[in-house]
Amino acid sequence: MLDFGGQYNQLIARRVRDNNVYAEILPYTVSLDKIKKRNYKGIIFTGGPNSVYDEQSPHYTPEILKLGIPVLGICYGCQLITWMENGTVETAPVSEYGKIELKARTDSPLFKDIDKKSIVWMSHTDYISKPPKGFKVIGKTNDCPCAAMENADRKIYAVQFHPEVTHSQFGKQMLHNFLYEICGCKGDWVMDDFIENTVASLKEQIGDKKVILGLSGGVDSSVVAALLSKAVGKQLTCVFVDHGLMRKDEGDMVENTFTKLFDMNFVRVNCKDEFLTALKGVKNPERKRKIIGKKFYEAFWGEIRKNANEAFFAQGTIYPDCIESGKGKAATIKTHHNKVKMPKDIKFIDTIEPLRDLFKDEVRTVGEKLGIPKELVWRQPFPGPGLGVRIIGSVTEEKIRILQDADAVFRDEMAKSGYEKELSQFFAVIPDVKTVGVMGDHRTYEHLIALRAVTTDNFMTADWAHIPYDLLAKVSNRITNEVDGVNRVVYDITSKPPGTVEWE
């Protein structure tokens, strides 16, 4: 795949891998000679935000279309093929965005086994007003006279829409057709190959040098730790900073898992007291985040300095971390914590990011195959500041204890009932409020616990989870009876938007 800067580009590779075909993403600056030497079965031109007639836009030599390798252009890639072959691309009279009806010629191998009319996902301002010589229009919409085209003799295909997104009704079949009907792929690549190839590559890259990994206990860094352990064993040192703001017994679980299952050096930095001292009396959520981030940075890099000489540095970076921080010419959405610069005085041989081309679900698959326990592989998203942003107001040792116990009850009941499979994320929050209550014959004035649970496909939007009342009642009853210091439980029924998943 030649990457021309679109936000969906890695998703295309993911869809290819879903077909058990290995996909490799290369920047559009890669040389033609390198492509020739790799013996590829097919080439995909990705989308991108630019216009092909803009001099600053990414282009490629038209010679690539003369290699005899099947090519599929998507969106910008479709327009780029038109530009390369002297067709005409112009500003469309009517731009198309979102779900559009496609009328397709199903005698094309690209559209084998799809309906003559189907919904596709469009996102373009320019369009092809005149296809190149030798190309036949095989798809159109009401406002796009050339939504798909082919030169079947040369095995060059192009679509103006995005078949890789789930909104395109037969997009999966179209990509399958390109891979199998046009490129002749066999579909024999599986995740076991990724593990085998990655371990071999790590062995070759690292040699007899040391590797330092920051282990958070999350799925990404845990899978990297397992891969590195498999590759270099005791040459790996994992540094785990326990700031005391994790869920109940989580620090011990992480340590036990990695010291018993994997061959490595495990270093646990216990610094709860330092974090609590720094957070004392601080209520502003942004200040709390900055303090936790700063203290974590100091604790982590303070330990790393002891082992940094002549070593590699490993990170659990996955593809969304890269694309959100601006990969190639993709638009910057947000800066991810894995992309923060390391201290200037620490010099590593290089940085290793073996998962940087995988999505989260693929990382989980790798983790399962490497034997990492289910509770780590399927660990829910957990904020970097930990429980610090689930304790509203100032953070104290008592509040941490109460929240850990309440959260543990919530998770236990969701697991025992099997309802956790219905939820994308769920947790407890301790607001900065106490309420009056009655326990026995006595008046109480104790903490309130709020429960939060959401369902979502992408975390950009989320709906509050409709947990059965009897299950919520059981959770509430257990928390108020088992967690000392709590006399009231409420359930958050706010969707995102207007709310966010986390409270701070």
Side-chain angles (χ1 to χ4, degrees):
M1 287 176 50
L2 280 186
D3 184 351
F4 291 101
Q7 294 291 348
Y8 294 138
N9 295 347
Q10 181 67 13
L11 185 55
I12 304 171
R14 180 184 177 184
R15 298 296 183 228
V16 172
R17 293 197 292 261
D18 285 345
N19 280 280
N20 296 326
V21 175
Y22 180 68
E24 190 170 59
I25 299 178
L26 299 175
Y28 71 91
T29 53
V30 68
S31 70
L32 187 64
D33 284 341
K34 186 173 183 179
I35 291 175
K36 289 178 181 178
K37 292 175 182 176
R38 295 291 184 92
N39 194 32
Y40 292 113
K41 298 284 286 184
I43 299 171
I44 296 177
F45 293 173
T46 74
N50 305 94
S51 170
V52 289
Y53 290 112
D54 183 343
E55 291 183 3
Q56 301 301 315
S57 295
H59 290 87
Y60 203 79
T61 172
E63 295 298 312
I64 192 171
L65 300 179
K66 300 177 181 178
L67 297 179
I69 302 172
V71 175
L72 172 64
I74 295 175
C75 197
Y76 177 84
C78 172
Q79 297 169 8
L80 185 61
I81 289 174
T82 305
W83 177 83
M84 288 175 167
E85 293 286 299
N86 298 313
T88 305
V89 178
E90 297 179 322
T91 300
V94 179
S95 299
E96 291 180 308
Y97 294 97
K99 295 180 179 180
I100 305 291
E101 185 180 75
L102 172 74
K103 303 175 184 69
R105 290 192 53 164
T106 55
D107 57 344
S108 167
L110 187 65
F111 294 149
K112 180 183 177 182
D113 296 328
I114 76 163
D115 293 349
K116 291 183 178 180
K117 291 183 180 180
S118 66
I119 298 299
V120 295
W121 184 262
M122 288 283 198
S123 181
H124 68 102
T125 301
D126 292 348
Y127 80 143
I128 298 166
S129 60
K130 182 181 178 182
K133 185 178 180 180
F135 282 76
K136 177 174 67 177
V137 175
I138 57 172
K140 62 182 179 179
T141 71
N142 289 340
D143 295 308
C144 188
C146 181
M149 64 181 187
E150 70 175 12
N151 186 317
D153 292 338
R154 296 166 62 193
K155 295 188 176 181
I156 301 174
Y157 296 80
V159 294
Q160 183 59 67
F161 52 88
H162 288 274
E164 70 275 15
V165 302
T166 55
H167 306 294
S168 290
Q169 189 177 356
F170 291 98
K172 183 177 180 180
Q173 183 63 43
M174 294 173 196
L175 289 173
H176 182 276
N177 289 340
F178 177 70
L179 297 170
Y180 287 88
E181 301 294 330
I182 297 167
C183 298
C185 294
K186 295 179 180 178
D188 54 5
W189 183 80
V190 293
M191 199 55 77
D192 290 337
D193 296 330
F194 171 82
I195 295 173
E196 183 179 341
N197 294 337
T198 301
V199 168
S201 176
L202 288 170
K203 284 181 178 179
E204 182 178 355
Q205 181 181 5
I206 297 166
D208 60 356
K209 302 296 184 182
K210 295 184 296 183
V211 187
I212 312 297
L213 169 68
L215 182 63
S216 68
V219 60
D220 304 330
S221 63
S222 297
V223 171
V224 172
L227 283 169
L228 285 166
S229 172
K230 195 174 179 66
V232 297
K234 288 290 187 182
Q235 292 168 236
L236 169 65
T237 297
C238 288
V239 177
F240 171 59
V241 176
D242 188 346
H243 48 30
L245 297 169
M246 302 185 76
R247 289 172 287 201
K248 188 173 183 178
D249 300 328
E250 200 159 32
D252 293 340
M253 185 263 287
V254 171
E255 181 173 2
N256 290 335
T257 296
F258 287 93
T259 53
K260 291 180 179 179
L261 291 184
F262 300 103
D263 186 26
M264 64 172 68
N265 297 308
F266 184 92
V267 178
R268 181 172 178 175
V269 184
N270 292 303
C271 44
K272 177 181 179 180
D273 291 343
E274 291 93 319
F275 275 76
L276 282 175
T277 300
L279 289 167
K280 187 176 181 179
V282 178
K283 294 187 176 182
N284 181 278
E286 205 48 43
R287 276 196 65 206
K288 283 197 294 185
R289 283 181 175 272
K290 288 179 179 179
I291 289 170
I292 294 170
K294 182 174 183 292
K295 294 299 295 181
F296 189 93
Y297 188 88
E298 291 171 352
F300 178 73
W301 290 109
E303 183 66 34
I304 292 295
R305 278 187 180 89
K306 302 174 185 178
N307 298 283
N309 291 334
E310 291 298 306
F312 287 90
F313 181 63
Q315 293 190 120
T317 307
I318 64 174
Y319 181 73
D321 302 340
C322 301
I323 196 68
E324 288 173 351
S325 298
K327 181 180 181 181
K329 290 189 176 290
T332 299
I333 298 172
K334 69 178 181 178
T335 301
H336 191 274
H337 69 278
N338 278 345
K339 293 298 168 187
V340 176
K341 291 183 180 179
M342 64 182 66
K344 293 181 180 179
D345 65 305
I346 296 181
K347 305 294 182 184
F348 288 102
I349 300 171
D350 202 355
T351 299
I352 296 172
E353 298 174 320
L355 304 179
R356 64 176 294 112
D357 288 324
L358 298 186
F359 274 84
K360 180 72 77 174
D361 62 325
E362 295 175 315
V363 174
R364 294 190 200 278
T365 299
V366 173
E368 287 182 324
K369 290 182 177 294
L370 288 168
I372 299 176
K374 179 184 176 183
E375 57 266 32
L376 268 182
V377 172
W378 291 99
R379 188 175 187 261
Q380 292 184 19
F382 192 62
L387 299 182
V389 292
R390 293 178 182 172
I391 297 173
I392 312 304
S394 58
V395 177
T396 66
E397 191 155 11
E398 181 198 25
K399 286 183 180 178
I400 293 173
R401 189 266 307 166
I402 290 172
L403 184 56
Q404 286 178 333
D405 288 346
D407 186 74
V409 169
F410 191 19
R411 287 188 289 124
D412 182 53
E413 285 299 332
M414 293 302 103
K416 287 195 300 188
S417 67
Y419 203 80
E420 65 178 359
K421 297 175 183 177
E422 307 295 322
L423 306 174
S424 301
Q425 191 173 359
F426 62 97
F427 52 88
V429 177
I430 182 167
D432 193 18
V433 62
K434 288 187 175 182
T435 71
V436 67
V438 177
M439 288 187 170
D441 295 325
H442 301 283
R443 176 185 183 275
T444 62
Y445 194 63
E446 302 285 9
H447 287 281
L448 163 75
I449 288 292
L451 304 178
R452 177 72 161 147
V454 298
T455 57
T456 179
D457 291 329
N458 52 28
F459 283 94
M460 299 301 290
T461 61
D463 190 19
W464 62 275
H466 295 229
I467 298 175
Y469 289 162
D470 59 344
L471 186 51
L472 284 173
K474 185 180 292 186
V475 174
S476 175
N477 187 59
R478 279 193 60 190
I479 289 176
T480 53
N481 278 278
E482 297 176 21
V483 181
D484 186 32
V486 177
N487 68 359
R488 190 180 299 269
V489 176
V490 300
Y491 186 52
D492 182 350
I493 58 169
T494 312
S495 295
K496 176 186 179 182
T500 56
V501 176
E502 297 288 346
W503 276 37
E504 283 193 342

